[in-house]
Amino acid sequence: MDIVELNKLKDEAIASISAATDNDAVEAIRIKYLGRKGLLPALMKGMKDVEPSERAAMGIAANELKNAVIDGVARRKSELSATDEPKQAASFDYSLPGRWQRIGSMHPITMIIEEAIRIFGKLGFIVAEGPDVETAYNNFEALNTPAHHPSQDERDTFWLHTGELLRTQTSPVQIRTMKEQKPPVRIITPGRCYRRDTTDATHSANFHQIEGLYIESDRKVSLADLKSTMAYFAQEMMGDQVKVRFRPHFFPFTEPSVECDFTCHVCGGSGCRVCKQSGWIEIAGAGMVDPRVLERVGYDPEITSGFAFGMGIERIAMIKYGVNDIRLLYENDMRFLSQF
Ligand code: DAH
């Protein structure tokens, strides 16, 4: 190689670097000239064979080639990275469908609560809430459940050091609401309750109820009002064909009191495994609010009347979705939850 060829090689190098359109191409050129097995090291090795009279000039030209490649590569790389962003933005296709993001689903207990709020909302009921930590008065005494009643027993109720307790039912929200507002009252109260139950397939120390309370002072509310309300709820929640029946029962704060059953939505009432062959499923406790409860919250029982009901949310969720173990509702196992 002579000096003319060497200068030609330099021009070629400069031209190919400027023509490179991405970093990989620039890097390939750098390796071609400067790499361990590249053209320049080979050239340097061959210097010993060059005519001594030309050696100095060749050395200078080779050095110029090396510097031209080093400078050219650095400049081209910085030019390319400056134009990187606009290139990326331009290659983004706005017409592509969005990437699907996996979103969560509602917990079955929340689904029943939301559905109940929707159904009772259509009948004019609004949501009222109360605290999980209650006074013994609101949870028991105001509801005609005196201190000697078995449900106040330490084996059934979580008592706190303060003398308060974890509410065993949502019924105390009835008391809170009536103490605060005059009739008419139409509330439902979904929320957590606590009992010292040993956990098994149908029991949990922590569970949910929905309480309902309907009070009027300008007309006599009857058991028929209660029954039509429960029937409407039953059909909306479980299906049009579902019917309700009342059985006499006892609750301290209602008189008369009933147990409210729905016809089994699986067999339609003929008897199956879900309803244990009875055709009916027990859903709620209910009744006409006891005049002594009304009196205690400052209502006049002569002109005021109403009904109340309370039901377990887990029970409705289990029946509606065919869940056979209450513990599945609390384990947060994605394999279970993602089915809803
Ligand atoms: N609180 C009752 C329970 O936990 C359920 C209940 C029964 C609520 C009758 C009521 C009612 O409002 O009127 O067993």
Side-chain angles (χ1 to χ4, degrees):
M1 185 173 292
D2 62 18
I3 192 103
V4 177
E5 284 170 336
L6 195 53
N7 281 333
K8 213 175 122 206
L9 201 61
K10 186 174 79 180
D11 292 343
E12 272 173 24
I14 291 168
S16 68
I17 290 170
S18 315
T21 52
D22 58 40
N23 269 331
D24 288 347
V26 178
E27 186 58 15
I29 295 164
R30 190 190 67 77
I31 290 166
K32 176 180 165 192
Y33 287 92
L34 308 179
R36 212 159 41 82
K37 292 180 182 162
L39 291 173
L40 257 156
L43 212 67
M44 291 320 224
K45 234 195 227 156
M47 273 309 168
K48 61 180 189 314
D49 304 326
V50 174
E51 284 293 312
S53 57
E54 288 181 14
R55 208 175 278 159
M58 280 290 276
I60 290 168
N63 228 6
E64 278 176 1
L65 169 61
K66 183 175 149 195
N67 288 336
V69 173
I70 290 173
D71 293 349
V73 163
R75 196 177 330 109
R76 190 66 191 138
K77 278 191 176 171
S78 83
E79 277 169 14
L80 287 171
S81 72
T83 56
D84 250 9
E85 270 175 48
K87 255 182 78 184
Q88 267 178 20
S91 68
F92 182 82
D93 183 351
Y94 290 91
S95 68
L96 283 174
R99 287 213 182 98
W100 185 68
Q101 294 285 336
R102 212 188 145 79
I103 51 168
S105 58
M106 251 196 258
H107 192 280
I109 290 177
T110 313
M111 280 161 61
I112 298 293
I113 292 175
E114 298 269 309
E115 184 66 358
I117 292 172
R118 186 191 68 78
I119 296 166
F120 285 113
K122 290 209 276 181
L123 298 176
F125 287 80
I126 58 165
V127 175
E129 285 183 325
D132 291 14
V133 174
E134 257 300 359
T135 62
Y137 179 79
N138 284 344
N139 194 84
F140 290 127
E141 277 92 34
L143 294 162
N144 294 336
T145 313
H148 58 75
H149 192 277
S151 62
Q152 290 224 31
D153 197 309
E154 280 195 18
R155 279 165 302 184
D156 294 317
T157 300
F158 290 107
W159 287 92
L160 307 180
H161 300 303
T162 56
E164 292 167 305
L165 48 81
L166 296 180
R167 66 178 179 193
T168 61
Q169 49 190 355
T170 42
S171 306
V173 187
Q174 290 188 30
I175 304 299
R176 288 179 173 271
T177 307
M178 289 191 285
K179 278 201 282 201
E180 258 170 35
Q181 77 176 73
K182 295 272 157 259
V185 174
R186 279 182 202 188
I187 53 145
I188 56 161
T189 87
R192 277 177 195 276
C193 303
Y194 306 82
R195 286 182 201 173
R196 295 188 65 165
D197 279 331
T198 305
T199 304
D200 63 23
T202 54
H203 293 85
S204 164
N206 171 210
F207 58 100
H208 297 72
Q209 286 189 339
I210 296 181
E211 189 84 9
L213 178 67
Y214 181 109
I215 305 280
E216 299 270 9
S217 56
D218 54 3
R219 76 177 180 96
K220 190 110 187 82
V221 179
S222 73
L223 210 57
D225 295 316
L226 170 59
K227 195 162 184 187
S228 59
T229 302
M230 297 314 283
Y232 180 71
F233 173 73
Q235 291 178 357
E236 288 280 308
M237 182 61 90
M238 294 307 211
D240 283 347
Q241 70 293 347
V242 172
K243 297 190 176 56
V244 303
R245 77 171 179 191
F246 283 175
R247 282 178 292 122
H249 201 76
F250 173 79
F251 292 104
F253 43 94
T254 42
E255 182 58 37
S257 301
V258 298
E259 197 79 65
C260 177
D261 302 337
F262 293 2
T263 46
C264 177
H265 66 294
V266 176
C267 63
S270 58
C272 67
R273 256 185 57 230
V274 172
C275 58
K276 300 201 185 88
Q277 308 305 330
S278 75
W280 295 94
I281 294 174
E282 196 181 302
I283 294 285
M288 306 309 293
V289 180
D290 191 309
R292 281 180 302 160
V293 174
L294 298 174
E295 224 162 42
R296 244 182 242 119
V297 297
Y299 286 4
D300 178 356
E302 291 300 322
I303 55 164
T304 311
S305 58
F307 62 75
F309 56 85
M311 49 200 163
I313 297 175
E314 280 80 352
R315 190 165 165 69
I316 297 173
M318 290 169 75
I319 291 162
K320 183 164 175 165
Y321 301 123
V323 177
N324 57 12
D325 192 319
I326 198 170
R327 289 166 288 201
L328 287 166
L329 295 169
Y330 307 117
E331 283 167 353
N332 287 338
D333 186 330
M334 287 302 288
R335 289 168 302 180
F336 173 73
L337 292 177
S338 60
Q339 297 175 54
F340 297 93

